[in-house]
Structure formats: C-alpha cells, structure tokens
Amino acid sequence: MKEDSLSYKTYVEIRKKILSNQLVGGVRLVESAWAKKLNVSRVAIREAFMRLAGEHLVEFGEKGGCFVKQITTEDIKEIRELRELIEVGALKILFNKKDQEVIKELELICDDFSSMVEKGYYGGACEADVRFHEKIIESTGNERLLHIYNNSNIPLFHLKLGNAMSHMDDYKQTEMEHRKIVEYLKKGKIKESVDTLIEHLDRGERESIEF
C-alpha cells in the first residue's frame, strides 16, 4: 500500500480517537508507539501528525514531541461564534437545496447517536455528534466552507463538550436538539431550525466552560 494511503488511514484513526475522548488534551503521542500499534512506518505517523496539527487537534512542544491540543475558555468562546456563522449559513444552503437524501442521512446519524447512548457507548455517541455537524457542512457541497470548518479548531469544541457531558440527561438533550434541527429543516421551517441550532450551540458553550 502507498505511504500516503497509510498516512491518511493513520490520520483518520488517531483523529477518531481524539474526537471520541479516547485521547484527551495534553496527552503525548509517541511516534514509535503509534507506528508499532498501527503497523505503519514512522514516516506515515509523522505525516498524520502534521495533518492533525493543521487542523489544530495536536501541537508540537517547544522541546519536541507531539501532544493532543488543550482548549481554553477563550478558544471555546471564539469557536462558538465561528460555528454559528458557519453552521447557520450551511443550514440555509441546505434549506434552499431541499435535498431529502441529506435529511435521511442526518436522521440516520441521529439514530446512531441514540443507539450509542442507549448502549452506554459514549465515545461512539461523541463521534456521532461530530458526524452530525460535519454532515451539515459537507452536504452544502461548498469545499471552501468545509475547509474553513475543518481548520478552525471546531473539532476541539466537540472534544471539550464530550468531556463535559457526564450525565444521561446531557446526551438526551443533545439528541432532542439534533432531531428538532432536522425535523424543522424537513418541514421547511428554517427559522425554527436555525433557532434550535443556536440554542444547541449556546448550551454547548456553557457546559464546556463550566466543565
């Protein structure tokens, strides 16, 4: 298999573990250990680390080493503002597209989130939460919008929120908000869908800061 393919698969695997809270902020990612664990070369690991750094999910220490990036209160506030601009805009684009297949895909992600919560797989629920919001952006078909989304520390907001969601009620509230966003979009009620999204983001900011 080509080195770039191995690098991409490595990137996807480590990224998934970061966003599902299996790797928390401040944890050091040892190049040799990951190479052995994933059975790839250290070159592939290094390239994956660089890609993750480009998305601000990891950072390199002054004395060397790669670490999962920690998020500050100021980061949370700035990311929250950016998310509203990007995701509200994306919802409006989806409303104009009126693509029922996108609605079905979002509903399936909601079902996956529910299933993970019911089984107590909270890491999987966090992954489904990330997929829900990424799907909204991806479904616009706007590559520039997706690029901004992926390179704005937004995944770290999900990571911080995942750490803050410690009770079943937190997950149930997220599920309810996701489903309302989709249902309003499905019914052509764009204002209600946008208002619910903003409430959802506001709650996420509050819980992340309080954690």
Side-chain angles (χ1 to χ4, degrees), residues 36-158:
K36 182 178 181 180
K37 180 175 183 176
L38 300 179
N39 194 29
V40 297
S41 72
R42 294 181 67 164
V43 171
I45 296 295
R46 203 169 300 126
E47 290 177 352
F49 285 177
M50 290 299 294
R51 183 164 186 158
L52 291 165
E55 292 185 10
H56 305 287
L57 289 175
V58 304
E59 58 188 354
F60 297 101
E62 293 181 4
K63 297 181 180 180
C66 181
F67 302 84
V68 177
K69 195 175 187 303
Q70 300 194 62
I71 188 169
T72 66
T73 297
E74 190 59 33
D75 287 332
I76 291 171
K77 291 180 178 179
E78 291 183 356
I79 292 169
R80 156 67 184 78
E81 292 171 349
L82 183 60
R83 286 190 71 189
E84 180 174 333
L85 290 172
I86 294 175
E87 294 190 40
V88 166
L91 268 185
K92 290 180 178 179
I93 292 173
L94 294 187
F95 174 74
N96 290 329
K97 284 179 175 285
K98 301 188 187 311
D99 189 335
Q100 293 304 308
E101 285 303 312
V102 172
I103 298 294
K104 290 178 182 178
E105 289 176 6
L106 288 170
E107 288 175 334
L108 286 174
I109 294 173
C110 287
D111 291 342
D112 188 34
F113 182 92
S114 301
S115 176
M116 292 295 177
V117 172
E118 287 173 6
K119 294 174 181 176
Y121 298 155
Y122 298 122
C126 288
E127 287 183 36
D129 182 24
V130 173
R131 285 205 309 276
F132 180 84
H133 292 275
E134 287 184 340
K135 176 56 68 175
I136 289 174
I137 306 300
E138 290 171 2
S139 298
T140 65
N142 189 316
E143 291 296 326
R144 288 179 173 80
L145 193 63
L146 182 59
H147 178 76
I148 292 171
Y149 184 85
N150 285 335
N151 288 276
S152 301
N153 257 359
I154 288 174
L156 285 176
F157 185 99
H158 288 287

